[in-house]
């Protein structure tokens, strides 16, 4: 009944829209329609600007911007002779002439206007123009990966960490505008993995662009407090067979290879590829903690050396079958393995009023991940260009068994002599995830600017965990089970949703409005202690975006409501980690965190200069925070709770301009403040901080085949309820040389060139304080080779800049 209630509500909303007078306007006098597309691959260009001028005196008489499918329409045109001027950021201006509006011919359909990327003329060598490094659309920011040479041979993670709004910590945690909670999609579909694990799976060479949606429309899942990162992979449809292959090797045992291909014949398009990565990551940490209590204080000094060996294989295949103009079927499969072998050596000095203890622990973590994903998508165009019905079904399975073996020794003060027999523990978790999604969407286009879309969706998420902790008994020469960490639990988190959105244009303003209803059914079954923790909630998530484009100016205002739902690790009350000095557990009564997000953005081009200002405000309630406490022995305990309300506000400023036609600078800065207030373990907390990050990409184009790119990223101080991270800086450089008309390229790359990327963190609590120093691996030098056969990524064709004659 609850699901029917959601669908009924959305159907009533759609009826209300259709009867509200927002349907297609009644055309008066003349009319001109058409579409604006990229000349290279035919991609529709959303929000291109079309202005109409009188032929005689070039006077402006009206204008419009393109919709999501690149379509536009100009109405109420008086009798006369006109021409159109078409502009789009990063593309050459296009003109459409000979529009003679009269009673004899009052309507023109000019078809597809093909826009060509800007090109520079450098001495005798022609440099093919490229899109701007970023583009601002109605509900997203688009990052064009082809502009980032520093990501060559890398992954999606390498691409994103060059963005001012993205921060990547040494442990791999990714933050979008200060929040690590965001959703990752691939070609608009959920990724099998999330976070840095998902981003490390995707080779940068296979990416066309990345869409950052900090205020996504109601069409998308509401999950993710910071928004959605959608990674669009390259497609190929013009050549019979084409592909690209990449290989690279880097210092400290880093080896990668990937390949992608596409074949098109008789309406059947096949795609496939593989990805292989074998990398070592090095990390050193120093943790100095002090616990305070009535009888004195305890100091715990820990030096940790981490060596991560990550080896992964991925195979992917896909098929698109275009049966006819109205029916398209797509299938995709991917499978792979990720092997993570981590060794950790820890030296501990624990000083209390009673005694000083010295210890060394050696841990080996083995995580052999296997995953499988399948997606089916069917699109039926009921009425071509007007009505479309799509059905999607996905299924994925991930097994994540992991084993952690730890040997803990008592040592002398130099940690060179081990005393007695070590404490040996084996911690294993046989975890498995089964997830699926069923989705149906319907869209109706009243006219090129006016579209109604509605749909229903169910996400199914089932996870099983079998956690066993064993301690070696030296007396019996066998392992005994530790009941304090051994537990078995199951987790279900299903979300059923429906949505409706409506887009249109009014008085030159393009807008997109919608609402999404989601019913969450959550159940954690802690089988070891016999406790069931259930939670259900029906929520509504409205969204709204409006954009106004005048010549080269673009303004955008947007709002969305989103949610951050706790996962099983945050909910399980049983400790998921425990040793002599630390214990961590979850809280089964955690509530979802709700976020209201507002943005006001501006974009402008001044000839070859591009500037963008994105301002934002985000209010979060029921904020989930990790808390730290220590006992009289200095042992630390961590858990989670809904403690805070957080307000984040800021502005991202970015631009792009050239110097002497060979140097392009892409600077950006993200200025933001955070206010945090709440109650933490009975104590009122209040924090205010102003932070900033900055990026400067400098690209020097020596010739059409030689390019140098240097990228500097500065991360200002950041904070949460109990910790602060000091500023740090990262510098990356790459030199790329193309051969044989760009079919072959070599890139020499150096990441973390300077020793300025170390992390310094300070944490405080009711009875403790600590400082943490994390030293990153510096530098990392790689040599990347890429081979592109049959032009896998097409360039612009000649003669695309000729004047466009309107269709008859």
């Amino acid at each position: 009944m609850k699901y029917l209630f959601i669908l009924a509500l959305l159907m009533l909303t759609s009826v209300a829209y259709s009867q509200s007078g927002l349907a297609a306007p009644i055309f008066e006098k003349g009319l001109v329609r058409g579409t604006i597309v990229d000349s290279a691959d035919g991609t529709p260009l959303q929000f291109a600007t079309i202005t109409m001028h009188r032929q005689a005196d070039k006077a402006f008489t009206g204008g419009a911007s393109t919709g999501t499918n690149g379509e536009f329409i100009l109405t109420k045109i008086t009798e006369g002779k006109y021409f159109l001027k078409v502009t789009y950021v990063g593309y050459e201006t296009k003109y459409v002439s000979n529009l003679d509006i009269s009673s004899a011919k009052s309507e023109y359909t000019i078809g597809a206007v093909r826009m060509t990327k800007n090109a520079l003329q450098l001495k005798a060598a022609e440099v093919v123009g490229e899109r701007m490094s970023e583009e601002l659309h109605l509900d997203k920011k688009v990052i064009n990966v082809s502009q980032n040479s520093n990501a060559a041979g890398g992954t999606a993670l390498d691409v994103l960490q060059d963005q001012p709004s993205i921060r990547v910590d040494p442990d791999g945690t990714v933050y979008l505008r200060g929040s690590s909670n965001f959703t990752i999609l691939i070609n608009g579909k959920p990724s099998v993995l999330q976070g840095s694990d998902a981003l490390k799976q995707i080779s940068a060479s296979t990416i066309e662009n990345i869409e950052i949606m900090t205020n996504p429309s109601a069409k998308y899942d509401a999950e993710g407090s910071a928004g959605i990162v959608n990674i669009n992979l390259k497609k190929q449809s013009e050549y019979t067979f084409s592909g690209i292959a990449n290989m690279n090797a880097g210092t400290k045992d880093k080896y990668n290879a990937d390949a992608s291909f596409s074949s098109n014949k008789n309406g059947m398009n096949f795609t496939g590829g593989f990805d292989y990565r074998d990398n070592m990551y090095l990390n050193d940490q120093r943790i100095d903690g002090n616990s305070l209590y009535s009888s004195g204080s305890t100091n715990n000094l820990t030096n940790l050396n981490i060596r991560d060996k990550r080896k992964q294989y991925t195979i992917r295949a896909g098929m698109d079958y275009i049966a006819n103009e109205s029916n398209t079927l797509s299938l995709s499969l991917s499978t792979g393995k990720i092997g993570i072998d981590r060794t950790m050596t820890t030296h501990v000095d624990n000083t209390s009023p009673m005694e000083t203890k010295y210890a060394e622990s050696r841990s080996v973590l083995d995580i052999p991940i296997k995953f499988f994903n399948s997606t089916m998508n069917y699109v039926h165009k009921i009425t071509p260009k007007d009505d479309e019905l799509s059905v999607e079904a996905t299924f994925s399975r991930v097994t994540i068994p992991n084993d952690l073996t730890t040997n803990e020794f008592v040592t002398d003060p130099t940690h060179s002599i081990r005393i007695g027999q070590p404490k040996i523990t084996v911690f294993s978790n046989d975890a498995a995830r089964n997830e699926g999604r069923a989705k149906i969407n319907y869209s109706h286009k009243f006219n090129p600017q006016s579209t109604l879309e509605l749909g229903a969706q169910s996400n199914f998420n089932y996870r099983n965990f079998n956690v066993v902790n064993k301690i070696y008994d030296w007396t019996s020469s066998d392992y005994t089970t530790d009941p304090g960490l051994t537990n078995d639990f199951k987790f279900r988190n299903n979300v059923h949703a429906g949505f409706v959105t409506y887009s249109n244009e009014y008085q030159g303003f393009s807008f997109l409005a919608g609402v999404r209803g989601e019913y969450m059914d959550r159940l954690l079954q802690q089988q070891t202690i016999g406790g069931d923790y259930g939670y259900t909630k029906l929520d509504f998530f409205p969204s709204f975006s409006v954009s106004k484009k005048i010549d080269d100016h673009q303004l955008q205002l947007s709002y969305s409501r989103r949610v951050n739902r706790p996962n099983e690790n945050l909910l399980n009350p049983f400790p998921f980690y425990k040793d002599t000095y630390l214990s961590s557990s979850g809280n089964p009564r955690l509530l979802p965190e709700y976020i209201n997000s507002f943005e006001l953005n501006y974009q402008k081009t001044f000839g070859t200069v591009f500037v963008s200002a994105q301002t934002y405000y985000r209010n979060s309630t029921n904020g989930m925070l990790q808390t730290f406490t220590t006992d009289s022995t200095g042992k630390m305990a961590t858990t989670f709770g809904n403690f805070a309300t957080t307000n984040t506000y800021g502005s991202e400023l970015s631009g792009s301009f050239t110097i002497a036609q060979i140097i392009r600078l892409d600077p950006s800065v993200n200025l933001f403040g955070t206010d945090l207030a709440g109650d933490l373990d009975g104590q009122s907390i209040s924090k205010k901080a102003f932070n900033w990050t900055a990026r400067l990409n400098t690209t020097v184009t020596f010739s059409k085949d030689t390019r140098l790119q240097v990228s500097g990223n500065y991360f200002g101080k950041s904070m949460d309820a109990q910790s602060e991270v000091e500023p740090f800086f990262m510098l990356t450089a790459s030199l790329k040389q193309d051969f044989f008309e760009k079919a072959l390229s070599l890139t020499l790359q150096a990441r973390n060139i300077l020793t300025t990327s170390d992390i310094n963190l300070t944490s405080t609590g009711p009875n403790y304080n600590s400082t943490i120093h994390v030293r990153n691996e510096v530098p990392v030098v790689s040599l990347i080779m890429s081979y592109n056969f049959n032009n896998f990524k097409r360039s612009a064709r000649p003669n695309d800049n000729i004047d466009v004659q309107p269709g008859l």
Side-chain angles (χ1 to χ4, degrees), residues 1 11 47 122 233 263 292 319 329 403 405 414 525 611:
M1 290 298 293
M11 292 299 293
F47 304 113
L122 181 62
L233 304 181
S263 177
L292 309 174
M319 181 273 291
L329 178 66
D403 292 283
T405 302
T414 65
Q525 296 174 297
V611 294

Side-chain angles (χ1 to χ4, degrees), residues 356-370:
T356 300
K357 297 180 180 180
Y358 304 97
E360 177 187 273
S361 67
R362 296 184 175 183
S363 300
V364 177
L365 175 64
D366 179 28
I367 311 178
I369 302 173
K370 296 181 180 180

Side-chain angles (χ1 to χ4, degrees), residues 36-38 43-48 66-67 69-70 88 91 115 131:
I36 310 299
V37 300
D38 182 282
T43 303
L45 299 181
Q46 185 181 14
F47 304 113
T66 55
N69 294 319
Y88 191 71
Y91 286 73
M115 302 286 285
R131 292 184 180 179

Side-chain angles (χ1 to χ4, degrees), residues 223 493 495 518 520 539 541 563-567 592-593 624:
E223 182 73 37
N493 188 22
V495 178
E518 290 193 349
M520 181 185 67
D539 287 305
F541 302 94
V563 65
N564 175 17
R565 300 182 176 104
N567 61 31
E593 176 184 8
M624 291 179 287

